[in-house]
Amino acid sequence: MTELTNILPSMATVLQVIMIAVKCVIIAGIVMNLPIILVWLERKVAGHIQQRPGPMRIGPHGLLQSVADGIKLIFKEDIIPSKADKIVFIIAPVIALIPAMTVFVTIPFGDSIMIPYINQEVTLYIADFNVAILFILAVGGISVYGFMLGGWASNSKYALLGSIRAAAQMISYEVAFSFAAIGVVMMTNSLSLVDIVHAQDGWFTNWNILYLPVGPVWFCIFFVAALAELNRIPFDMSEDEGSLAAGYQVEYSGMKFSLFALAEYSAMVSISVLCVIFFFGGWNAPIPGIPIVPPVLWLIGKTFVFIYFFMVIRFTLPRYRYDQLMTIGWKVLIPLSLVMILITGLMRILL
Amino acid sequence: MLIEYILFIIFAVIAIMSSLCVVTLRNPVHCAGYLIVTLLQVAALFLLCRSPFLAVVQVFIYVGAVLVLFLFVVLLIDVKKASMEIFKPKHRPLAYGVLAILLIETLVVIFVGGLEKIRLAAPGAEVKVETIGRELFTSYIFPFEIVSVVLLVAMVGAIVMAIDRRG
Amino acid sequence: MKPHVKKLDRQCDHTDAPSILKDIFNRAIFKDIIKGLSVTLKYNVSPVITLNYPDKEKWIPTARYRGVHTLNRDEEGRELCVACELCVKACPTGCITVVPEEDDTGRGIADRVAKIWTVNLVRCMFCGYCEDACPTTAVRLGRDYELACRDMSCAVLNRDQLLQKPEIPEDFEGGTRVSARMKKMRGGIKVIPDINKKRDNWW
Ligand code: SF4
Ligand code: SF4
C-alpha cells in the first residue's frame, strides 16, 4: 500500500497539473486567435497612415475581415512544389510556430490571484523558471529553423536566398539580443521574469527604462535587435518583396502559409510583452495606488502600445540594405552592448 | 519517480535513434535536422537531472547558434551530389576502430563503474545559476580561462585565414 | 576599400569635426526616425480621404460631365427630338441609330419624331459630338456613370430608357460627394445617391 502511494502522484500534484493544463489551453487559445485581431489592426494602421480606411466591408469596420481571410486560407488548395522535399516542407511551418508559442510558457501576465469559488490561489503564469530569460532566448532561437528549412525545402532560389538571409540575420542579432537580456539581468539581479517585474515594483521611476543612464540605451539595443529577430521592417531582409518576392515563404500557400504568419504574429506579441516586462515594469501601474485598473490590464495595455509601435514603424521606415543590416548588428550594437555591460557592472558594484 | 524513469527512457531512445539517423542518412540537411532533435533530447535529459541552466544553455548555444551556422553551410551544398558521395573504403577500418574503442569504453563505464551507482539527481537538489557561476570563477577559473584562450585562438586563426585568402 | 564606397558608407558629405559629432549625436537620439514617425503618426489621426463608394458614398459629377445620354422633353412634356439624324451623322463611331416617323398627336415638338432612337454604349466613346450637333438640344450627355452589367442587353439603350427623367435633377450642382445606399438587384448593383445629404469634400 505504501509503495502504491509512493508511485501514484498526490492529490495536490494532480490539481497542479490540471491547473497548468488549463492555463496552457487558455494561453494557447488567446495566442492562436490574437493574430485575427492583429492582422486587422495592422491593416487598419496601414490604411490610416495612408489616409484610407483599410478593410471596411466585412463586419463593423471590417472587424471580421481576417476571419474571412482565415477561412479562405483554410479552404485554399495546398500546393507542394513537385521537386520539394515533402516532409521538410510540411513540418517547417510547424517548427516555426511551436517555439513562438512555447515562449509564452514563461511569460508572467500578473502576480497570483484568488479564484473565488474554489478558494485557490492561482498564479498568472504557467511556470516561473529561474532561467526564464535564457529559456526565452533559446526557444525563440529555434524558430529560425522553420524559416531556414522551409526555404530550403521549397526548392526555389528565392526561397533559399530568403532562408540564408534569415539565418545570417538571426546569427548576427541573436548576440546583441542576448546582450540586451544580460543587461536586464544585471539591472535587476535575476533571471526569472517574475523577479524582474518585482524588481521594478513601485513608482515608474523604478522601471528599468529609467535606470539612468544605461536603461534607455539597453532598451534601444533590445528594441532594434528585437525588430531584426522578428524579421519586421526595417530588417525584413528574408522576405523582402522587392528583391526576393516573398523570401522563404514564396512557395507556401493555404494553411501552411498562415502558420508562418501565425508564428510571426505570436513572436511579435511575445517580444512586445518582453519589452514591457524587461523595461516598462510589467504589470505594475506607473503610479502605485491606482487600484481600479487590475495589473493584467496594465500589462495588456502596455503590450498593445508596443504592438502598435511595431506596426507604425513598419509603415514608416524603408528597408535597410543587407550590408547596412550587418553593419548595424556587428559594428554598432555588439560593441555598444559590450561597453554597456561594463558600465552597468561598474554601476552595480559602485552604487 | 516512475514518471521520470519513463520520460528518461523516452528521451534516451529518441536521442539514440536520431543520432543513428544523423550518421546513416544521406541527405545532409536531414542529418542536420536529426542532430537538432538529438541535442534537444539531451537538453531534456539535463532537465531530468535537475539542471535547467545546462539544458537551456545547451539549446541556446548548440541548437540556437552552432547548428544554425552548420545548416547555413549545408544549405549551400548541392544536396543531390552530396548524397551520392559515400565514405571512401580506405577510411572504414579506422572508423570501425574508433567505434570499437568507444563501445568498449562505454561498457567499462557501465559494468566496472557500476550501473547501480548512476542514477538521476536527487530530487530537490536543483543546480542554481549562481552556484555554477561561483564555481566557474573560483574553483574552475584556470580551465575556464584556458578554454577561453583556445576559443580566442580559433577565432583569430579563422580571421587570419580569411584575410590571407582575400589578399 | 575604394574611396567612393567609403563615402557611401558614411553617408555624410561634411568632414569637419563639429558636424561629424552632430551627425553622431543625431543618430544616437534617432532624429531621422523620430521625424519620420511623427509624420506617420500625424497622418494616422488625420481624416480618411477615401470615397466610401459603393457602400456609403457616391460622387456626383458636375453638369458638364459626359455620362450616359439622356433624351429630353420641353416644359410641356413634348419630346424635343425631331429625328433630323444630325447626331447620327456627327457621331464618329456610328453608334446612334435613328428611324423617323410621322406623328402629329403632339408627342414631339414637330410632326416628325423618332420611331427608334438607340445608342450602343459599347461603341460610344462619350465624346459629346451628338450633343453638339443636335439642333434642339434633345440629346445630352447625363451624369450617370454606372454602366457595368452582366450581359450585352443593357449595352444598347432605347428611346424609352433614355427618355426617363435622370435621377439627379438638372439644376443640382455637382462636384460633390453625397451619401448613398447600395442596392443589390438581379442585374447587378446600383448605388442610389441621396442628394440632400452632402458630405464634406476633404480638399
Ligand atoms: S458621345 Fe460621341 S460617340 Fe457617343 S453617341 Fe455621341 S457622338 Fe457618338
Ligand atoms: S437627337 Fe437631336 S440631332 Fe439627333 S435626331 Fe434628334 S433632334 Fe436630330
Side-chain angles (χ1 to χ4, degrees):
Chain A
M1 193 59 213
T2 43
E3 274 172 27
L4 202 67
T5 44
N6 275 348
I7 292 171
L8 284 178
S10 67
M11 196 59 207
T13 325
V14 171
L15 204 68
Q16 227 172 355
V17 169
I18 290 174
M19 210 64 106
I20 288 176
V22 168
K23 279 192 258 185
C24 284
V25 168
I26 291 174
I27 288 185
I30 292 174
V31 174
M32 289 292 259
N33 287 311
L34 213 51
I36 292 177
I37 300 168
L38 291 184
V39 170
W40 172 82
L41 190 70
E42 181 144 29
R43 293 178 67 180
K44 277 286 179 194
V45 169
H48 281 276
I49 282 178
Q50 294 154 11
Q51 294 196 320
R52 49 188 184 79
M56 282 297 271
R57 301 198 63 167
I58 302 175
H61 279 259
L63 249 174
L64 298 178
Q65 179 69 48
S66 359
V67 179
D69 285 349
I71 293 171
K72 182 200 79 176
L73 279 170
I74 290 172
F75 287 113
K76 219 169 167 180
E77 187 190 352
D78 201 359
I79 300 164
I80 299 179
S82 61
K83 283 198 176 165
D85 189 320
K86 283 214 176 58
I87 299 168
V88 180
F89 189 82
I90 291 171
I91 61 171
V94 183
I95 297 179
L97 182 60
I98 289 177
M101 305 281 294
T102 311
V103 166
F104 284 92
V105 167
T106 54
I107 287 179
F109 294 94
D111 236 341
S112 43
I113 50 165
M114 290 293 282
I115 289 189
Y117 298 105
I118 54 172
N119 240 351
Q120 179 104 24
E121 194 164 329
V122 175
T123 50
L124 288 180
Y125 39 84
I126 297 176
D128 175 26
F129 289 20
N130 57 11
V131 286
I133 285 194
L134 284 172
F135 178 81
I136 286 171
L137 292 176
V139 172
I142 298 178
S143 65
V144 74
Y145 287 110
F147 307 142
M148 286 177 79
L149 292 173
W152 173 80
S154 323
N155 198 12
S156 146
K157 289 203 174 58
Y158 283 137
L160 185 63
L161 283 173
S163 54
I164 285 172
R165 280 185 181 187
Q169 180 178 337
M170 173 77 192
I171 295 273
S172 317
Y173 279 85
E174 185 85 354
V175 184
F177 193 66
S178 332
F179 276 151
I182 287 176
V184 174
V185 172
M186 290 176 86
M187 289 189 283
T188 50
N189 256 346
S190 173
L191 282 167
S192 135
L193 293 184
V194 179
D195 291 350
I196 285 175
V197 175
H198 280 307
Q200 306 175 55
D201 278 345
W203 284 78
F204 65 92
T205 44
N206 285 356
W207 293 359
N208 277 337
I209 182 87
L210 291 175
Y211 191 89
L212 295 171
V214 286
V217 184
W218 277 127
F219 174 67
C220 290
I221 294 172
F222 183 81
F223 194 77
V224 174
L227 273 177
E229 293 270 302
L230 283 176
N231 277 333
R232 279 186 78 81
I233 284 178
F235 300 119
D236 68 333
M237 304 308 303
S238 55
E239 50 187 281
D240 182 347
E241 347 38 275
S243 57
L244 289 185
Y248 55 83
Q249 54 194 10
V250 68
E251 300 289 347
Y252 278 91
S253 58
M255 208 50 214
K256 298 201 194 77
F257 175 78
S258 44
L259 284 188
F260 272 128
L262 214 61
E264 267 177 38
Y265 277 101
S266 31
M268 186 167 88
V269 175
S270 60
I271 293 277
S272 306
V273 179
L274 284 186
C275 278
V276 171
I277 288 175
F278 283 177
F279 294 99
F280 289 87
W283 59 78
N284 288 322
I287 297 163
I290 307 180
I292 316 133
V293 187
V296 184
L297 284 188
W298 274 111
L299 186 87
I300 292 173
K302 289 178 198 172
T303 307
F304 261 91
V305 170
F306 271 98
I307 290 174
Y308 176 74
F309 191 45
F310 275 120
M311 288 174 179
V312 176
I313 282 184
R314 171 164 178 187
F315 296 104
T316 304
L317 300 181
R319 189 177 287 118
Y320 279 101
R321 223 168 48 214
Y322 193 67
D323 61 319
Q324 289 171 331
L325 173 89
M326 287 297 163
T327 310
I328 293 173
W330 289 104
K331 294 191 191 162
V332 180
L333 290 186
I334 292 177
L336 183 66
S337 47
L338 284 173
V339 173
M340 293 315 290
I341 285 180
L342 269 183
I343 298 177
T344 320
L346 282 179
M347 278 177 71
R348 295 248 35 135
I349 293 171
L350 300 179
L351 301 183
Chain B
M1 290 309 102
L2 182 67
I3 295 173
E4 284 197 8
Y5 277 106
I6 295 171
L7 285 177
F8 171 78
I9 288 167
I10 292 174
F11 292 146
V13 167
I14 296 178
I16 290 171
M17 299 291 266
S18 51
S19 46
L20 278 179
C21 287
V22 174
V23 280
T24 51
L25 284 184
R26 284 288 169 78
N27 188 329
V29 175
H30 292 177
C31 292
Y34 279 108
L35 194 51
I36 297 168
V37 176
T38 312
L39 292 173
L40 287 177
Q41 297 310 314
V42 175
L45 290 181
F46 281 143
L47 267 187
L48 279 187
C49 297
R50 300 283 189 297
S51 178
F53 180 74
L54 267 190
V56 165
V57 166
Q58 159 97 2
V59 176
F60 187 33
I61 305 285
Y62 282 98
V63 182
V66 174
L67 269 170
V68 173
L69 278 179
F70 204 79
L71 204 59
F72 183 78
V73 177
V74 169
L75 287 187
L76 298 173
I77 296 176
D78 184 354
V79 171
K80 282 202 201 79
K81 220 171 83 193
S83 46
M84 287 299 172
E85 279 174 13
I86 48 169
F87 294 115
K88 300 234 166 63
K90 67 176 177 184
H91 288 313
R92 276 195 188 168
L94 192 66
Y96 287 139
V98 172
L99 197 67
I101 291 173
L102 280 178
L103 200 67
I104 291 168
E105 211 175 332
T106 321
L107 290 178
V108 165
V109 167
I110 291 175
F111 290 112
V112 182
L115 183 62
E116 62 276 10
K117 281 185 202 148
I118 305 169
R119 65 164 99 103
L120 297 176
E126 193 169 299
V127 185
K128 286 254 165 56
V129 183
E130 287 154 27
T131 329
I132 294 177
R134 190 149 289 140
E135 287 293 304
L136 266 186
F137 281 97
T138 52
S139 333
Y140 298 101
I141 182 77
F142 191 60
F144 181 74
E145 290 299 328
I146 286 180
V147 170
S148 322
V149 171
V150 169
L151 283 178
L152 187 70
V153 167
M155 230 160 79
V156 173
I159 293 170
V160 167
M161 278 164 73
I163 288 175
D164 267 353
R165 199 168 299 166
R166 206 211 297 171
Chain C
M1 212 183 261
K2 289 182 205 104
H4 69 273
V5 177
K6 207 165 191 175
K7 191 172 170 190
L8 214 161
D9 264 3
R10 211 189 290 134
Q11 283 175 342
C12 63
D13 299 327
H14 35 257
T15 42
D16 52 318
S19 51
I20 288 178
L21 278 181
K22 207 170 135 196
D23 196 58
I24 290 175
F25 179 74
N26 283 345
R27 281 191 202 190
I29 61 166
F30 298 106
K31 193 183 170 197
D32 300 343
I33 291 173
I34 288 172
K35 227 179 196 172
L37 282 176
S38 69
V39 171
T40 39
L41 284 174
K42 212 161 64 197
Y43 272 93
N44 201 351
V45 293
S46 71
V48 165
I49 62 170
T50 304
L51 181 72
N52 201 343
Y53 175 83
D55 289 328
K56 294 203 180 68
E57 290 172 321
K58 186 174 180 173
W59 170 252
I60 304 294
T62 47
R64 64 168 185 231
Y65 186 82
R66 297 202 293 258
V68 177
H69 309 64
T70 53
L71 280 178
N72 295 283
R73 301 170 191 268
D74 67 359
E75 293 86 62
E76 284 115 61
R78 296 177 298 174
E79 289 173 25
L80 282 169
C81 177
V82 292
C84 66
E85 297 180 44
L86 280 178
C87 51
V88 182
K89 299 263 158 34
C91 178
T93 62
C95 62
I96 303 179
T97 314
V98 178
V99 175
E101 83 179 318
E102 193 98 357
D103 190 332
D104 49 9
T105 57
R107 200 183 106 198
I109 52 170
D111 286 353
R112 190 182 149 105
V113 292
K115 183 177 172 197
I116 296 173
W117 203 111
T118 59
V119 53
N120 184 347
L121 292 178
V122 181
R123 303 200 61 176
C124 174
M125 58 185 185
F126 302 99
C127 62
Y129 283 1
C130 47
E131 188 179 24
D132 293 347
C134 183
T136 60
T137 66
V139 62
R140 251 176 283 162
L141 297 191
R143 301 195 220 183
D144 187 11
Y145 50 79
E146 286 164 349
L147 300 174
C149 56
R150 298 213 167 119
D151 51 39
M152 292 295 281
S153 65
C154 69
V156 179
L157 292 184
N158 59 30
R159 201 194 63 203
D160 292 336
Q161 288 161 320
L162 292 166
L163 270 170
Q164 262 157 27
K165 251 195 142 26
E167 58 185 358
I168 304 154
E170 202 88 348
D171 50 354
F172 181 75
E173 194 196 345
T176 47
R177 56 176 179 179
V178 296
S179 317
R181 136 181 94 81
M182 185 169 75
K183 202 172 141 199
K184 290 201 174 89
M185 297 182 303
R186 279 189 65 204
I189 61 163
K190 189 112 188 99
V191 184
I192 299 155
D194 183 356
I195 53 171
N196 297 321
K197 278 194 201 139
K198 279 194 196 175
R199 295 281 181 101
D200 294 342
N201 281 337
W202 56 273
W203 58 92

